[in-house]
């Protein structure tokens, strides 16, 4: 693979993880506003996220097993980007909670065919270039959260109407979609092969899938609920509600950007395992103290220390699997996102019955346990 193809396809992957997360960050920063508008509570949001998760998983499996083998990755990613933008506008203008639940379907379909498929694209770039790419793919998520949180805070502070903001994002999504298609891997280097039949994953992939189940379920607490947590439990003004996401993503952004240097200096095992144990412990201590400023600083450090967790888990799983990349990544994402079947309902119930702070405690404990599990599953990889 020559340098031009490498860098252009890398930009395509980052765009496909960045832009959906930018939209989602804007949406969840506006979440308290949308909840007030529709007169719904945390349990209602939890059920919405459950429906979103169901359609996400269905979309991911169909895309990974049927559509990617037939059409390649970049055309699927490009179409999904536009679907995400349109569906998020529908969420912001839905006239009732019923329609919010209906619009969970296209939102889940768009997400299931975008970022996870970009993960397959990133693995293909790694395969052809023999370079570490997955952390840069994950960097797009953190960049999207960070810029989206800042943007949404500015929009709220200046009282911009959400329907106009998300309408503009649809126009931008068309430009992003064309960019991804033109910059992605050429057809000769894109995914080739037949889709695998639906079958039980390999034993080691089941363990990695269980690990991602715990990570996705825990990280979802920050992405989906931190804005509401800061505004409700910590009494932060609504326009500052996205600060938690911003600090978390800003730390992760730098860790992903310098992932190769961190891995070369400390080793992949320390970055993927030990960093996670330290980060979750520090965040837990800050929540116990319950000081807003200390929590924000801890989220920054936590974001930095855990940013390469998911990409290194997926990288390990792909290298240890005997199945093709599309099937392996599809299975991993599906098992990881199965946390959406039970996570939102449990989180919503706990938040309504006790508080969102209890969920934040659970986040730290689950991520710490996940770090210990990965420590036992880890095998050195020779690039």
């Amino acid at each position: 693979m020559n340098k031009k193809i490498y860098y252009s396809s890398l930009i395509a992957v980052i765009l496909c993880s960045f832009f959906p997360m930018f939209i989602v960050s804007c949406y969840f920063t506006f979440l308290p506003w949308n909840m007030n508008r529709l007169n719904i509570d945390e349990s209602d949001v939890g059920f919405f996220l459950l429906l979103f998760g169901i359609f996400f998983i269905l979309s991911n499996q169909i895309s990974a097993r049927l559509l990617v083998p037939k059409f390649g990755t970049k055309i699927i990613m490009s179409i999904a980007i536009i679907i995400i933008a349109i569906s998020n506008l529908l969420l912001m203008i839905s006239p009732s909670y019923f329609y919010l639940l209906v619009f969970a379907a296209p939102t889940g379909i768009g997400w299931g065919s975008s970022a996870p498929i970009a993960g397959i694209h990133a693995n293909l770039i790694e395969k052809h270039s023999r370079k570490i790419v997955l952390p840069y793919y994950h960097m797009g998520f953190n960049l999207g959260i960070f810029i989206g949180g800042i943007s949404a805070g500015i929009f709220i502070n200046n009282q911009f109407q959400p329907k106009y903001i998300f309408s503009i994002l649809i126009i931008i999504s068309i430009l992003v979609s064309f960019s991804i298609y033109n910059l992605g891997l050429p057809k000769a280097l894109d995914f080739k092969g037949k889709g695998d039949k639906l079958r039980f994953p390999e034993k080691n992939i089941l363990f990695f899938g269980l690990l991602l189940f715990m990570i996705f379920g825990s990280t979802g607490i920050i992405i989906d609920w931190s804005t509401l947590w800061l505004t409700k439990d910590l009494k932060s003004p609504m326009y500052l509600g996205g600060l938690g996401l911003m600090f978390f993503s800003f730390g992760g952004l730098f860790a992903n950007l310098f992932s190769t240097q961190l891995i070369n200096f400390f080793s992949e095992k320390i970055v993927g395992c030990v960093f996670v144990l330290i980060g979750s412990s520090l965040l837990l201590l800050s929540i116990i103290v319950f000081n807003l400023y200390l929590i924000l600083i801890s989220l920054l450090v936590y974001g930095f220390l855990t940013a390469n967790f998911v990409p290194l888990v997926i990288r390990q799983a792909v290298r240890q699997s005997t199945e093709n990349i599309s099937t392996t990544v599809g299975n991993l994402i599906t098992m990881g996102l199965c946390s959406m079947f039970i996570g939102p309902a449990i989180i919503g119930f706990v938040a309504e019955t006790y508080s969102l702070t209890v969920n934040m405690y659970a986040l730290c404990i689950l991520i710490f346990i996940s770090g210990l599990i990965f420590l036992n599953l880890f095998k050195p990889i020779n690039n």
Side-chain angles (χ1 to χ4, degrees):
M1 176 187 289
N2 62 49
K3 285 187 177 181
K4 183 179 179 182
I5 293 176
Y6 171 74
Y7 285 113
S8 66
S9 57
L10 184 60
I11 292 171
V13 162
I14 294 172
L15 271 176
C16 197
S17 56
F18 160 77
F19 192 69
M21 210 67 217
F22 175 87
I23 295 175
V24 167
S25 183
C26 287
Y27 175 75
F28 280 109
T29 304
F30 276 102
L31 180 61
W33 173 86
N34 212 24
M35 289 176 67
N36 289 332
R37 183 179 68 86
L38 296 174
N39 193 27
I40 59 177
D41 57 26
E42 290 90 341
S43 296
D44 297 322
V45 175
F47 188 64
F48 161 78
L49 291 173
L50 170 63
L51 288 180
F52 165 84
I54 292 172
F55 284 97
F56 182 109
I57 290 169
L58 289 173
S59 173
N60 176 244
Q61 281 294 301
I62 292 171
S63 296
R65 293 180 180 276
L66 300 176
L67 300 181
V68 168
K70 187 171 183 179
F71 302 107
T73 56
K74 64 180 184 179
I75 184 64
I76 307 301
M77 296 188 295
S78 302
I79 295 172
I81 289 290
I82 300 175
I83 295 175
I84 290 173
I86 295 172
S87 61
N88 272 266
L89 171 63
L90 294 176
L91 296 178
M92 299 308 295
I93 63 173
S94 56
S96 67
Y97 179 58
F98 170 78
Y99 284 101
L100 187 78
L101 297 180
V102 171
F103 297 145
T107 308
I109 290 170
W111 257 97
S113 299
S114 60
I117 306 305
I120 298 172
H121 204 80
N123 272 286
L124 290 170
I125 299 171
E126 279 201 353
K127 178 182 176 182
H128 295 306
S129 67
R130 297 187 176 276
K131 295 180 180 179
I132 298 174
V133 171
L134 280 169
Y136 297 113
Y137 154 71
H138 203 259
M139 179 185 72
F141 291 109
N142 287 310
L143 188 62
I145 293 172
F146 180 67
I147 298 178
I150 292 176
S151 302
I154 294 172
F155 298 150
I156 290 174
N157 195 39
N158 289 279
Q159 299 182 343
F160 293 157
Q161 289 294 317
K163 61 182 179 181
Y164 298 130
I165 296 168
F166 286 87
S167 296
I168 293 171
L169 288 176
I170 292 176
I171 298 172
I172 297 174
S173 74
I174 297 172
L175 299 175
V176 172
S177 176
F178 277 108
S179 299
I180 289 171
Y181 187 78
N182 290 323
L183 293 172
L185 287 170
K187 190 174 181 180
L189 298 178
D190 205 346
F191 184 82
K192 295 177 182 177
K194 296 181 179 179
D196 288 336
K197 294 181 179 179
L198 186 63
R199 60 182 180 183
F200 210 63
E202 298 171 334
K203 183 179 178 180
N204 59 337
I205 298 302
L206 283 175
F207 284 116
F208 283 112
L210 174 63
L211 186 55
L212 287 179
F213 178 91
M214 296 173 66
I215 298 170
F216 286 173
S218 304
T219 306
I221 296 174
I222 291 183
I223 295 174
D224 298 344
W225 299 94
S226 65
T227 299
L228 192 60
W229 178 53
L230 291 181
T231 55
K232 188 174 182 179
D233 288 21
L234 288 158
K235 309 302 180 185
S236 170
M238 194 172 78
Y239 71 92
L240 295 179
L243 277 179
L245 276 175
M246 287 166 52
F247 275 72
F248 167 71
S249 60
F250 189 66
L253 178 62
F254 274 92
N256 292 143
L257 187 60
F258 298 105
S259 57
T260 302
Q261 291 85 346
L262 287 170
I263 290 170
N264 290 336
F265 186 81
F266 290 104
S267 83
E268 193 168 328
K269 188 173 186 178
I270 290 177
V271 172
C273 305
V274 179
F275 275 21
V276 172
L277 300 177
I278 296 171
S280 54
S281 300
L282 291 175
L283 182 59
L284 178 62
L285 289 174
S286 73
I287 297 172
I288 292 172
V289 175
F290 210 66
N291 177 275
L292 175 62
Y293 301 105
L294 182 59
I295 286 172
L296 290 175
I297 294 171
S298 297
L299 281 170
L300 178 73
V301 176
Y302 174 81
F304 180 85
L305 293 175
T306 61
N308 292 304
F309 195 16
V310 170
L312 290 180
V313 168
I314 294 176
R315 178 174 159 83
Q316 277 282 317
V318 168
R319 297 305 180 273
Q320 293 185 33
S321 175
T322 59
E323 296 179 319
N324 68 52
I325 292 174
S326 178
T327 298
T328 301
V329 175
N331 283 335
L332 288 169
I333 298 298
T334 296
M335 286 185 283
L337 266 297
C338 278
S339 59
M340 285 195 168
F341 285 128
I342 60 173
I346 293 174
I347 293 168
F349 173 78
V350 172
E352 191 173 353
T353 307
Y354 301 101
S355 71
L356 281 166
T357 303
V358 175
N359 288 319
M360 295 304 294
Y361 285 129
L363 153 74
C364 300
I365 295 169
L366 285 173
I367 290 295
F368 186 88
I369 294 172
S370 300
L372 291 176
I373 294 174
F374 190 38
L375 195 61
N376 291 318
L377 292 175
F378 187 89
K379 291 181 181 179
I381 294 175
N382 296 317
N383 292 307

